[in-house]
Amino acid sequence: MTRFPCWALAAALAGNQPVSVPMPIQFQLVLKVLTAERNRPLETRPALAIGIVYQGKSPDSRDVKDRFAAEIEKETANHLVPPVRFGLIDVSNPADLASEFARTNPDILYVSPLPGFDLDSIVSLSRARKILTFTGVPAYVQSGLSVGFSSERGDARILINRKAYLAEGADFSSKLLKLAQVIE
C-alpha cells in the first residue's frame, strides 16, 4: 500500500482536529481518486460540483466545511484544478436533506464530521442518486461512505469501501485499489 507524505503540513494538524489529513492534501486526493473513476471520468466533465455536507450546530463540522471550501476556492483561483463549484448542505434539519441535494445538484459529496448524526440518510440518497462520497473521518467509510482519508505516522492513506463505491455507481481502476486500503 502506497502512502502519501503529509509531513510538510504537520503544523496544520496542531490541536484536536476532527480530521487527521490536512485539507490541501484531502482536496488533492479527491481529485486523484476521481481520475481513477472510470464511469465518470474527471476530464470529460465541464465542471465538478461538490456538495459539502456539514452540521451547522457543530463547531468541528463547520470548521472542516470552512477549511474544505477555502481549499476549493484557493485551488480554483490558482487554476490548478478543473473548474469546480461547491454547494453547502447543512444537515441540521434532516428532513431537508433531499431538497438540499436537489438544490446543490452535486457530482460528489464531501462529508465533514457530523456528531450524533445517523449517516443512513446520506448513504441512501448518495446511492439512489449515484453520487460518490468522500470524507476525512475514517469511521464514516466503515459506516457506508465510499472514500475516506486517514493519517498513519504522518502519511495520508486512502480508504475505500468496496460495497459503497459500487452502490454509488463508481468503477475504480485496479491501480487505485492497490494503493488504497480497501474495506470489504
Side-chain angles (χ1 to χ4, degrees):
M1 173 177 10
T2 301
R3 297 193 179 134
F4 300 90
C6 61
W7 57 267
L9 297 169
L13 296 176
N16 185 17
Q17 298 295 327
V19 296
S20 62
V21 177
M23 282 305 146
I25 291 174
Q26 284 194 51
F27 184 66
Q28 291 304 315
L29 288 173
V30 166
L31 295 176
K32 289 287 185 194
V33 168
L34 290 173
T35 64
E37 208 287 283
R38 296 183 287 219
N39 284 342
R40 299 168 279 202
L42 187 59
E43 62 273 3
T44 64
R45 299 170 192 251
L48 176 65
I50 301 175
I52 304 174
V53 180
Y54 73 103
Q55 194 172 46
K57 63 184 179 182
S58 166
D60 284 342
S61 187
R62 288 191 317 268
D63 176 59
V64 169
K65 175 256 309 174
D66 290 343
R67 290 188 289 131
F68 196 76
E71 190 60 33
I72 293 170
E73 290 172 341
K74 181 184 91 176
E75 292 296 327
T76 302
N78 292 333
H79 305 289
L80 298 176
V81 297
V84 177
R85 69 175 173 80
F86 68 89
L88 304 177
I89 302 172
D90 187 352
V91 297
S92 294
N93 184 358
D96 294 339
L97 193 55
S99 64
E100 287 296 299
F101 270 48
R103 179 186 61 80
T104 57
N105 194 27
D107 297 312
I108 67 167
L109 292 176
Y110 178 84
V111 181
S112 66
L114 306 172
F117 187 83
D118 183 1
L119 291 177
D120 288 345
S121 56
I122 294 170
V123 169
S124 295
L125 280 169
S126 67
R127 290 179 183 185
R129 295 175 186 229
K130 303 298 185 201
I131 301 170
L132 194 57
T133 53
F134 292 83
T135 186
V137 182
Y140 289 179
V141 178
Q142 291 282 353
S143 297
L145 298 187
S146 290
V147 181
F149 310 111
S150 68
S151 179
E152 182 178 300
R153 296 185 303 269
D155 292 332
R157 294 175 41 186
I158 300 171
L159 310 171
I160 297 179
N161 181 318
R162 184 181 307 273
K163 180 180 174 185
Y165 85 76
L166 292 172
E168 292 171 1
D171 180 20
F172 290 133
S173 70
S174 59
K175 184 177 178 181
L176 173 66
L177 295 174
K178 287 177 186 174
L179 292 173
Q181 177 182 342
V182 179
I183 298 163
E184 298 295 336

